[in-house]
Amino acid sequence: MTGTPKPPSSRPGLVPGVLSILAMLLLWTLASQLTDRPQTLPAPWDVAARIARLSASGELWFNAGMTLFRVVASFALAMAAGMALGLRMGRSRGADQWFNPGVIILLNVPALVVIVLCYIWIGLNETAAILAVALNKIPVVTVMIREGTRALRPDLDDMARAFRMAPLARLRHVVLPQLAPHIAAAARAGISLIWKIVLVVEFLGRSNGVGFKIHLLFSSFDVTGVLAWALAFVAVMLAIDLFLLRPWERRANRWRQDAA
């Protein structure tokens, strides 16, 4: 007697990821050794030594912490506004017709323009920085949630109406569980975009953060320092993706394996 085959696990393999990183490090090492100008492409151990010194001095933790604060604040604002707008547009044809032109415009306005305008209109402060980043992410979340809302099962809505569920109860027990995979996908796609825009925001108008430090190092053409700051924060974002966003996405998509 044969058992029912289990669906393949969605858990990412550790070994392929480690081997991939090692391959990239090997390629980087070979390229740095073949380059006759170490200041143009420093070796991985030189960048690692700079990261260690920045960490020991505490400078890395402070500036990376400020950048992470801006990332989290912008992410929360963008997800909340994008989810509310996308849900409304997906469930109302009239709302979609009214808001869609504005969403398309925001999707196509360059991030740099939004950042500069926020700094001019609001000032060189944290409010402008966080709002500029969120405005660049909100339309992306809106579109993803709108398409997910359009794919909701109408029979479950009919059941909710038949049982006269309150709007909040319907949202919690009928709508959001179906939207969970789309929300998780929007979060994972958005966090990488947000932190890159945060660096631009800091590069242009903040006095701390990873982007600000890269701006200072750019003026002296310190490639080792630029790579050290960038890779240190990349490691932080990879940890967030691996330990927070990926487990959340697996839980959000668990119903697909249960239904298989």
Side-chain angles (χ1 to χ4, degrees):
M1 184 176 66
T2 60
T4 304
K6 295 182 179 180
S9 174
S10 61
R11 185 179 297 276
L14 179 61
V15 174
V18 171
L19 292 178
S20 176
I21 293 175
L22 291 176
M24 288 187 288
L25 286 174
L26 177 60
L27 182 61
W28 179 7
T29 300
L30 292 175
S32 66
Q33 296 306 300
L34 292 174
T35 302
D36 57 356
R37 298 182 61 189
Q39 66 273 20
T40 301
L41 184 61
W45 48 85
D46 293 330
V47 176
R50 178 70 70 86
I51 294 175
R53 290 197 298 271
L54 292 171
S55 178
S57 68
E59 187 178 5
L60 175 62
W61 305 112
F62 171 74
N63 287 282
M66 291 302 301
T67 298
L68 186 60
F69 161 74
R70 294 175 183 124
V71 168
V72 172
S74 303
F75 176 79
L77 179 58
M79 289 297 296
M83 285 176 56
L85 187 57
L87 186 61
R88 180 60 179 167
M89 292 174 65
R91 302 198 40 108
S92 170
R93 185 184 299 270
D96 185 55
Q97 292 174 345
W98 275 101
F99 291 116
N100 187 63
V103 171
I104 297 301
I105 290 173
L106 283 176
L107 279 172
N108 289 279
V109 173
L112 182 61
V113 174
V114 176
I115 295 169
V116 170
L117 290 177
C118 284
Y119 275 150
I120 292 174
W121 290 339
I122 302 175
L124 296 174
N125 52 49
E126 290 296 333
T127 301
I130 293 171
L131 183 60
V133 179
L135 286 175
N136 280 287
K137 177 56 184 171
I138 287 173
V140 179
V141 178
T142 299
V143 170
M144 297 183 72
I145 299 302
R146 179 186 64 184
E147 298 309 313
T149 303
R150 289 174 174 174
L152 296 179
R153 291 177 53 180
D155 56 331
L156 294 180
D157 270 342
D158 294 339
M159 179 194 68
R161 282 192 292 269
F163 282 96
R164 297 183 179 180
M165 294 181 67
L168 288 179
R170 184 186 304 180
L171 177 66
R172 178 182 176 185
H173 298 291
V174 178
V175 176
L176 290 182
Q178 296 181 77
L179 279 180
H182 301 277
I183 297 172
R188 284 199 65 199
I191 196 71
S192 59
L193 173 64
I194 282 179
W195 94 264
K196 294 171 186 176
I197 300 176
V198 166
L199 291 192
V200 179
V201 167
E202 294 175 341
F203 193 99
L204 293 176
R206 304 310 301 135
S207 59
N208 50 46
V210 175
F212 170 72
K213 301 302 294 187
I214 291 176
H215 173 69
L216 295 180
L217 295 167
F218 166 73
S219 61
S220 59
F221 297 97
D222 186 349
V223 179
T224 303
V226 170
L227 289 175
W229 281 102
L231 293 179
F233 202 74
V234 165
V236 173
M237 300 311 296
L238 285 176
I240 291 175
D241 179 79
L242 182 62
F243 297 109
L244 293 179
L245 295 181
R246 285 196 182 189
W248 177 29
E249 187 176 40
R250 286 196 297 270
R251 287 195 297 271
N253 285 280
R254 187 170 53 192
W255 66 273
R256 298 181 187 272
Q257 282 78 33
D258 294 340

